């Protein structure tokens, strides 16, 4: 039986923990981490940022922005020791509940991040385009889009 994940709205006080989560996923060309307090201050100001908790332990984070009725998932990170346990799927299901009524959800992922692509495509995301050096890290990203058929949870 899967342990249910909880989303806890993050605040400025959570920035050190958010940075630690990002560090756990850093070091791979597949992910461009946010490692500065300034980046997180902006993210918290313009979007919705959550810590992902399971059994009282923070296991990751997820964030999105609402830009004129278009939702952009700006981050989804699960600490490596908690990956492959269905957490990403649980979290996206909860986020889609918040985003009901949106006609378009976008996100960016590395074209070689097969696990992420499989997860997103299982929800109905399709590849809209490829952008080179999307985050300024020298790596390409695929822009994935879910339109008009946001999964009903």
């Amino acid at each position: 039986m899967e342990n249910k994940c909880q989303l806890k709205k993050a605040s400025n006080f959570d920035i050190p923990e958010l940075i630690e989560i990002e560090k756990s996923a850093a070091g791979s060309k597949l992910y461009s981490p946010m490692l500065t307090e300034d980046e997180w201050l902006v993210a918290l100001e313009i979007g919705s940022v959550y810590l992902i908790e399971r059994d009282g332990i923070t296991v990751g984070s997820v964030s999105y922005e609402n830009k004129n009725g278009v939702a952009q998932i700006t981050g989804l990170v699960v600490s490596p020791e908690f990956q492959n346990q269905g957490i990403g799927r649980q979290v996206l299901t909860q986020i889609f509940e918040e985003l009901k009524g949106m006609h378009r959800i976008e996100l960016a992922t590395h074209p070689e991040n097969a696990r992420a692509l499989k997860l997103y495509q299982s929800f109905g995301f399709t590849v809209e385009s490829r952008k080179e050096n999307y985050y300024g890290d020298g790596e390409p990203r695929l822009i994935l889009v879910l339109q008009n058929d946001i999964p009903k949870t």
Side-chain angles (χ1 to χ4, degrees), residues 2-149:
E2 279 186 3
N3 294 341
K4 183 85 168 135
C5 291
Q6 305 294 319
L7 298 182
K8 176 188 154 207
K9 187 88 167 163
S11 72
N12 291 1
F13 297 109
D14 297 310
I15 290 174
E17 192 167 18
L18 289 163
I19 290 173
E20 285 305 309
I21 294 164
E22 293 284 304
K23 283 181 183 176
S24 78
S28 164
K29 69 179 183 177
L30 301 183
Y31 187 72
S32 183
M34 290 186 9
L35 299 174
T36 69
E37 183 176 344
D38 288 345
E39 287 177 295
W40 281 108
L41 287 170
V42 171
L44 287 161
E45 184 178 320
I46 65 175
S48 297
V49 179
Y50 296 94
L51 294 171
I52 305 166
E53 296 182 342
R54 189 176 73 180
D55 298 329
I57 299 168
T58 300
V59 300
S61 67
V62 63
S63 56
Y64 68 87
E65 295 175 19
N66 183 344
K67 297 180 176 184
N68 300 318
V70 174
Q72 182 175 26
I73 297 175
T74 52
L76 172 56
V77 182
V78 176
S79 297
E81 64 267 30
F82 295 100
Q83 291 177 2
N84 299 315
Q85 297 178 26
I87 293 171
R89 177 167 301 284
Q90 281 186 42
V91 168
L92 286 176
T93 300
Q94 291 179 53
I95 292 297
F96 289 149
E97 188 65 30
E98 285 190 26
L99 298 178
K100 272 197 297 199
M102 293 281 181
H103 294 292
R104 181 178 169 95
I105 300 176
E106 304 172 342
L107 59 85
T109 194
H110 196 284
E112 294 175 23
N113 194 342
R115 285 194 319 212
L117 279 169
K118 183 178 176 186
L119 174 64
Y120 298 137
Q121 289 172 332
S122 76
F123 278 103
F125 279 87
T126 57
V127 177
E128 181 176 77
S129 63
R130 177 185 170 112
K131 307 263 186 188
E132 301 302 321
N133 197 25
Y134 186 73
Y135 290 116
D137 60 0
E139 293 294 328
R141 295 298 189 276
L142 296 177
I143 307 305
L144 277 66
V145 175
L146 185 62
Q147 296 191 118
N148 298 324
D149 54 355

